[in-house]
Amino acid sequence: MDYDSYERTKLEMEQVLQKHLPCIEDVQEATRHLLSDFSISTAMEKLDREDKPPEKDIENLALVARSLNKAAKHLRLVGMHGSADMANLVQELRLSGWGIGIGISGSSEPARDILVELIEKIETHISAVRNSVDPHGKSINTAFGEGPAFEKFSGVGKQRKSAARDFATELAILFNRTTGKKPTVSTDPYRSNLAYGPFLDLVTDAFNAVEINASAEVWAREACKEFLNKK
């Protein structure tokens, strides 16, 4: 997150806390603490998501290399009509810092050949990366010193929303500390079991402020459970 984005998020988060927790003593410190913890949780969730068995990485890189090789072969077969605007693409790539030219002015064929060469070069690098992967590489748990008893790849199957869970739990603690009330989520049986309550409102607005793409209701309920377990 760049500085401007952080400052914008910080301001929005401060407004959320002032709206839902008007008695909060130091809104800036509370916001700093929440965003710091959220940043760490987001980083850990990303590590979890990318913690996959090395053989899967080898397999996927092999698929990428084959696809690139096939793309280069098909691109060589493209004729005048299909390659007419390729010089524009090569020019864009050059301006983006790829360090390539656009061939002879007014000729589409050199541009096409430049793109073929670029794809083949990328394929060569991808193949080299694939060959460098250790098929016996260990998971993040082992890398962090947990030991072989905890050797398990977490980035397999349905991904956990650990950042959303941790953020909602921190909000539950702050809600209790500020209001003196237990964080709860109520359900209205007369309105299609509609979830409501001040804590849910806080989590909903806070999730929007930091742009968490997850259900505020689900994680507000989980946070209530987490809070009770911590007491």
Side-chain angles (χ1 to χ4, degrees):
M1 183 184 295
D2 60 39
Y3 178 78
D4 289 339
S5 295
Y6 175 80
E7 286 297 306
R8 186 166 55 252
T9 300
K10 184 165 77 73
L11 177 61
E12 290 181 15
M13 196 63 221
E14 288 175 358
Q15 292 172 343
V16 167
L17 295 183
Q18 289 171 333
K19 172 184 175 183
H20 296 283
L21 303 173
C23 296
I24 193 168
E25 293 183 359
D26 191 337
V27 67
Q28 292 184 336
E29 174 59 23
T31 299
R32 187 201 64 77
H33 175 77
L34 284 169
L35 294 184
S36 175
D37 282 0
F38 178 61
S39 178
I40 294 171
S41 296
T42 300
M44 292 304 299
E45 182 180 306
K46 187 174 186 292
L47 281 175
D48 267 350
R49 187 167 58 248
E50 295 181 352
D51 184 29
K52 298 175 182 178
E55 62 267 21
K56 292 301 295 182
D57 285 348
I58 293 171
E59 177 185 325
N60 286 322
L61 287 169
L63 288 172
V64 171
R66 286 200 295 271
S67 296
L68 287 168
N69 187 44
K70 186 180 295 184
K73 288 180 179 178
H74 284 297
L75 187 56
R76 285 190 188 279
L77 301 175
V78 173
M80 180 183 67
H81 297 288
S83 57
D85 288 330
M86 287 188 186
N88 294 332
L89 173 58
V90 175
Q91 173 74 342
E92 286 184 25
L93 292 173
R94 184 183 68 80
L95 293 175
S96 299
W98 283 71
I100 58 179
I102 62 170
I104 301 171
S105 178
S107 171
S108 61
E109 186 170 270
R112 182 198 62 196
D113 291 345
I114 288 171
L115 289 174
V116 169
E117 182 180 353
L118 178 60
I119 291 172
E120 289 177 337
K121 189 176 294 186
I122 294 173
E123 185 275 329
T124 299
H125 283 289
I126 291 294
S127 294
V129 171
R130 180 199 65 210
N131 293 331
S132 71
V133 176
D134 179 5
H136 305 293
K138 302 300 182 181
S139 71
I140 284 177
N141 284 333
T142 299
F144 283 169
E146 296 289 354
F150 295 92
E151 176 60 13
K152 180 182 179 182
F153 290 95
S154 55
V156 179
K158 186 176 181 181
Q159 302 304 309
R160 296 176 294 174
K161 292 280 188 178
S162 55
R165 178 197 63 208
D166 294 345
F167 188 62
T169 301
E170 288 297 323
L171 288 170
I173 295 170
L174 180 63
F175 179 87
N176 173 258
R177 185 186 303 136
T178 304
T179 67
K181 301 175 182 178
K182 288 195 301 184
T184 60
V185 177
S186 301
T187 304
D188 188 345
Y190 300 104
R191 298 176 62 191
S192 302
N193 291 321
L194 179 71
Y196 68 97
F199 177 61
L200 176 58
D201 292 340
L202 168 64
V203 174
T204 299
D205 284 352
F207 271 35
N208 288 334
V210 300
E211 299 182 350
I212 292 181
N213 185 24
S215 169
E217 179 185 342
V218 167
W219 295 108
R221 291 186 185 277
E222 286 296 317
C224 293
K225 297 176 185 177
E226 287 280 331
F227 177 80
L228 290 176
N229 291 335
K230 288 177 182 289
K231 300 303 285 182

